Amino acid sequence: MDWISNAFDTLQLLLYENVVQPIVFGLGFGNLLEDAFDATGWLLWGLIQIAVLLLGIGLLERRWPVEPVTDRAAVRTDVVYTLIHRLGLVRLVMFFSIQPLWDGIAGQLRLAGLPTWQIDGLWPGVTDVAWVSFLVYLVVFDFVNYWLHRAQHQFNWWWALHSLHHSQRQMTMWSDNRVHLLDDVLMATVFALLARLIGVEPGQFIAITVITQLHESLQHANARIHFGRWGERLLISPRFHRRHHSIGIGHETNGRGTLGGHNFGVLLPLWDQLFGTADFQHRFDATGVRDQLPEEGGHDYGRGFWRQQWLGLTRLAASFRKVV
């Protein structure tokens, strides 16, 4: 596998020297060249992911579609979200605005004696083996992701943001990143801090992120795919996750007007099975949020990117007013 690593390093260096470095110098940020090189790695992985979507998952959508694509404008908006997210633009904003703040907080916590738990050191000779530690970190991240996802469906203020993700009636492989930017920053911050807390190496963090993102793109695909009776219990399939996006079942636990839902897992359905939120019905229902339906009020979640972002903020403000 060394040749793959070497090829990636070569491509990263070429992209950095010929594209990123001149831009960084042109903007007057010559003191950030090292960080810019790391960012180039994220950019390259993003380009690779987009290629996988177009050449791999896209073929599955064309071969076994759940439904015909009739709203291409909505899909194009999701493509914008994907480009923003996968090409590292959210991480760039975090670097210049939020990251210094969290660096300061992390430094103060270390001064206060809060340790960093190195999970790969829990069982010397076992958990410090590279592939074992990677799997352990992957499971830990997935467990935390499950509970964060449930929280997005449990609290009115967070659902006000997260409901944008569920409002896509034309779900495709591009829909994974249809997320409010504030919601995106909150989740990215939590996982960046978690990685520091449990001692995830940068290379492992990138690998966990890329694997999770690609699998999430597959889950959202407009593809009539499932993994069979036993496979569905081991890895989340497009069918299992579509239930999470189905009108009502995916965002309500106790019927109309309630919060909650089913199938919150990101990689492993294990957590849904353990905590009673799994729904394995073999169905491919319409997706969206109940209050979008004309007979349920026809609530507007917006068409274009900026309109969707603004309406998310207005829903957030309204949720706080209800509390007051």
Side-chain angles (χ1 to χ4, degrees):
M1 300 294 287
D2 287 343
W3 70 270
I4 297 178
S5 177
N6 292 335
F8 183 89
D9 292 342
T10 300
L11 287 174
Q12 181 178 358
L13 185 60
L14 288 172
L15 184 61
Y16 172 73
E17 290 181 340
N18 293 284
V19 179
V20 177
Q21 188 176 24
I23 293 175
V24 173
F25 272 125
L27 294 174
F29 295 130
N31 59 318
L32 299 176
L33 290 178
E34 183 177 346
D35 297 299
F37 182 76
D38 294 337
T40 306
W42 284 105
L43 173 61
L44 183 55
W45 274 117
L47 293 171
I48 292 172
Q49 288 187 70
I50 291 170
V52 172
L53 264 65
L54 292 171
L55 302 177
I57 301 176
L59 293 177
L60 299 178
E61 289 193 325
R62 291 189 289 274
R63 178 64 179 84
W64 297 291
V66 173
E67 58 187 0
V69 177
T70 57
D71 191 350
R72 296 193 179 277
V75 176
R76 285 195 293 270
T77 301
D78 286 357
V79 172
V80 172
Y81 280 100
T82 301
L83 294 177
I84 289 173
H85 192 276
R86 299 296 170 92
L87 298 183
L89 297 183
V90 172
R91 294 184 181 279
L92 186 64
V93 172
M94 286 185 63
F95 173 77
F96 284 109
S97 59
I98 298 174
Q99 198 68 30
L101 172 63
W102 286 117
D103 285 343
I105 293 175
Q108 291 300 316
L109 291 176
R110 285 194 297 271
L111 289 175
L114 182 68
T116 297
W117 299 305
Q118 299 289 335
I119 287 183
D120 58 1
L122 290 177
W123 189 355
V126 177
T127 54
D128 52 3
V129 176
W131 69 268
V132 175
S133 65
F134 174 76
L135 290 179
V136 172
Y137 287 132
L138 192 66
V139 171
V140 170
F141 269 67
D142 197 54
F143 177 73
V144 173
N145 219 343
Y146 168 82
W147 285 106
L148 286 174
H149 196 179
R150 284 193 65 170
Q152 289 174 314
H153 284 248
Q154 190 62 43
F155 299 104
N156 283 304
W157 69 268
W158 212 342
W159 173 247
L161 295 174
H162 185 64
S163 56
L164 168 61
H165 179 64
H166 281 259
S167 67
Q168 178 57 284
R169 305 297 309 280
Q170 190 80 80
M171 198 168 79
T172 69
M173 62 183 181
W174 304 102
S175 301
D176 173 41
N177 295 125
R178 179 192 175 97
V179 178
H180 198 280
L181 293 178
L182 180 55
D183 196 6
D184 209 2
V185 168
L186 287 172
M187 293 291 283
T189 300
V190 170
F191 284 108
L193 290 174
L194 176 64
R196 290 188 175 202
L197 186 64
I198 63 177
V200 181
E201 296 294 330
Q204 291 176 316
F205 183 66
I206 292 173
I208 290 170
T209 301
V210 170
I211 289 173
T212 301
Q213 287 177 339
L214 281 176
H215 189 64
E216 286 181 302
S217 294
L218 174 62
Q219 292 169 23
H220 290 83
N222 176 29
R224 193 175 293 272
I225 295 174
H226 63 89
F227 296 156
R229 180 179 179 183
W230 298 112
E232 293 272 285
R233 269 68 179 174
L234 298 175
L235 189 65
I236 289 174
S237 70
R239 185 218 56 81
F240 184 87
H241 192 68
R242 191 177 179 92
R243 292 296 290 158
H244 177 69
H245 279 265
S246 298
I247 298 174
I249 186 70
H251 58 85
E252 298 170 347
T253 296
N254 297 310
R256 182 182 287 103
T258 65
L259 293 178
H262 298 83
N263 297 8
F264 298 104
V266 177
L267 287 178
L268 307 174
L270 171 66
W271 316 122
D272 284 295
Q273 295 174 80
L274 286 177
F275 300 110
T277 54
D279 182 334
F280 286 102
Q281 292 184 65
H282 192 89
R283 297 169 55 175
F284 293 86
D285 294 334
T287 62
V289 183
R290 187 188 295 279
D291 65 10
Q292 288 178 285
L293 302 178
E295 63 272 22
E296 297 287 346
H299 191 76
D300 180 25
Y301 284 83
R303 296 285 293 173
F305 176 84
W306 291 113
R307 178 67 175 168
Q308 290 171 357
Q309 294 297 305
W310 171 250
L311 290 176
L313 293 178
T314 62
R315 290 192 302 272
L316 179 63
S319 72
F320 288 134
R321 285 197 297 269
K322 289 179 182 178
V323 173
V324 176

